[in-house]
Amino acid sequence: MKCRRLAAILMAAAMTVGTLAGCSQGQAAGQEDNPYGIDEFVMVLIPGEETEKSVQLRDNMAEEMSEAIGIPVTTYRATDYSAAVEAMRTGQAHLALLGPFSYVTARERAGAECLVVQATNGESGYQSYIVARSDSDIESLADLEGKTFAFVDPESTSGNVIPTDEIINEFPEKELTFDDVHAEGKFFASAMYAGSHPASIQAVVQGNVDAGAVTNTTYENQIEAGNVNEEDLKVIWESPVIPGSPLAIQKDLPQELKDKVKEFLLAYDDAEYFGDPNSRYIEANDEDYDYLEELKDKYGLTD
């Protein structure tokens, strides 16, 4: 189905998640007055592989950012990509960690401006995988027709847009539309949105679907964490490198504030936070995401 959301529902979802998840706030002593016109700086994150340790590392980062920019920093996790974009659009969030495709949506609908992207040894980007169980007869994209499939989220780049485009390109004679790939009986016997990358890979492992889309980082992390046995799965397709998930800020915030946030992120060097001593934030290039906008226009994807 196309990526449509009702704004009212999304806003309710975003606010509900903010309440249920609980907010983590860094304290900036003596900052009752500030020149930015906001009482706190809100960062929204998308669903992912959250652990107690990752929450603490995120909270530590928020506290340090608060000290650097001079106002409290609050973080919360949105229900999905669209809720994160909607939170930015309505001014409920000032900074968001977005997937590449949801960033394209955010820059159009919410005035988002990419600041930084995580890179390892100066290189950013990741891949989309399609995985199946090792004991499956699925060996390539050609074997997917008539099977059951798990996508991640309507606005997930690696979990929906890129693999859908690849499937359409694999079967030109079928003249498939974007909707066809997600509709029951049009190409797959059935297709679902798992809601997150870990949920997608688990749907395959547990035999709930025949195959699924997942980012390569989640695939590797789930194996390393012991949540998935590598011998139980096989990768039947992998994409070219996709530009990394950016941290994007509201474009209409005061330039001084945007500069301080960017300066902080580029200087942040907590190896535990990044999960790799060779990883840091580097400046993001807005033009890297233009081809995703072309895909959005090609398939008429709307929110």
Side-chain angles (χ1 to χ4, degrees):
M1 65 181 64
K2 295 184 180 179
C3 309
R4 295 190 173 94
R5 291 286 190 279
L6 293 176
I9 294 175
L10 289 174
M11 198 62 255
M15 296 305 292
T16 299
V17 170
T19 302
L20 294 177
C23 292
S24 59
Q25 181 170 306
Q27 300 298 320
Q31 299 297 336
E32 295 179 1
D33 299 316
N34 67 76
Y36 307 131
I38 55 175
D39 294 327
E40 63 179 1
F41 186 80
V42 181
M43 178 168 65
V44 62
L45 303 140
I46 54 177
E49 301 166 71
E50 193 165 72
T51 64
E52 184 177 346
K53 181 178 179 180
S54 67
V55 170
Q56 184 60 57
L57 290 169
R58 182 194 73 194
D59 290 351
N60 293 345
M61 191 267 271
E63 186 171 355
E64 292 187 44
M65 184 188 294
S66 175
E67 294 171 358
I69 68 177
I71 53 176
V73 174
T74 299
T75 69
Y76 76 87
R77 190 168 293 280
T79 52
D80 58 22
Y81 294 90
S82 292
V85 173
E86 187 66 11
M88 287 197 80
R89 188 189 72 80
T90 58
Q92 301 299 312
H94 307 107
L95 184 73
L97 175 60
L98 299 166
F101 185 76
S102 55
Y103 168 66
V104 169
T105 301
R107 74 180 182 182
E108 292 177 356
R109 297 188 65 243
E113 175 184 339
C114 63
L115 287 184
V116 298
V117 62
Q118 185 172 334
T120 301
N121 294 321
E123 297 291 331
S124 65
Y126 65 111
Q127 292 177 280
S128 171
Y129 282 177
I130 291 178
V131 299
R133 286 185 57 88
S134 297
D135 57 6
S136 167
D137 61 356
I138 300 173
E139 300 293 341
S140 68
L141 295 179
D143 301 322
L144 289 175
E145 187 175 6
K147 300 296 194 295
T148 57
F149 196 88
F151 293 99
V152 173
D153 178 279
E155 289 214 19
S156 172
T157 309
S158 59
N160 185 37
V161 179
I162 296 296
T164 298
D165 179 58
E166 189 65 27
I167 289 167
I168 290 172
N169 293 336
E170 178 72 14
F171 299 92
E173 73 284 357
K174 293 186 177 297
E175 298 182 347
L176 295 169
T177 67
F178 203 93
D179 284 348
D180 288 342
V181 179
H182 298 83
E184 185 172 342
K186 290 285 188 176
F187 177 76
F188 291 116
S190 65
M192 60 174 280
Y193 288 117
S196 70
H197 289 274
S200 179
I201 197 171
Q202 285 298 328
V204 177
V205 170
Q206 295 170 18
N208 298 326
V209 294
D210 297 316
V214 64
T215 175
N216 69 303
T217 54
T218 296
Y219 177 83
E220 293 156 5
N221 291 342
Q222 288 287 296
I223 291 171
E224 184 177 349
N227 298 327
V228 171
N229 293 320
E230 188 170 10
E231 59 269 23
D232 292 339
L233 290 172
K234 56 185 171 184
V235 178
I236 67 158
W237 171 82
E238 56 185 72
S239 74
V241 175
I242 302 167
S245 298
L247 271 169
I249 197 166
Q250 282 186 327
K251 186 178 292 186
D252 59 357
L253 287 171
Q255 189 62 47
E256 181 184 357
L257 177 57
K258 292 195 296 183
D259 289 344
K260 282 188 176 182
V261 172
K262 186 174 184 177
E263 181 181 359
F264 168 79
L265 292 170
L266 290 174
Y268 198 62
D269 60 357
D270 187 331
E272 233 186 337
Y273 170 85
F274 290 111
D276 187 323
N278 298 310
S279 289
R280 295 281 293 273
Y281 284 127
I282 64 171
E283 189 166 0
N285 183 359
D286 189 68
E287 294 179 355
D288 288 345
Y289 303 91
D290 287 348
Y291 90 94
L292 296 173
E293 185 168 0
E294 292 171 7
L295 286 180
K296 185 171 185 176
D297 292 341
K298 174 182 177 181
Y299 294 117
L301 302 178
T302 57
D303 307 303

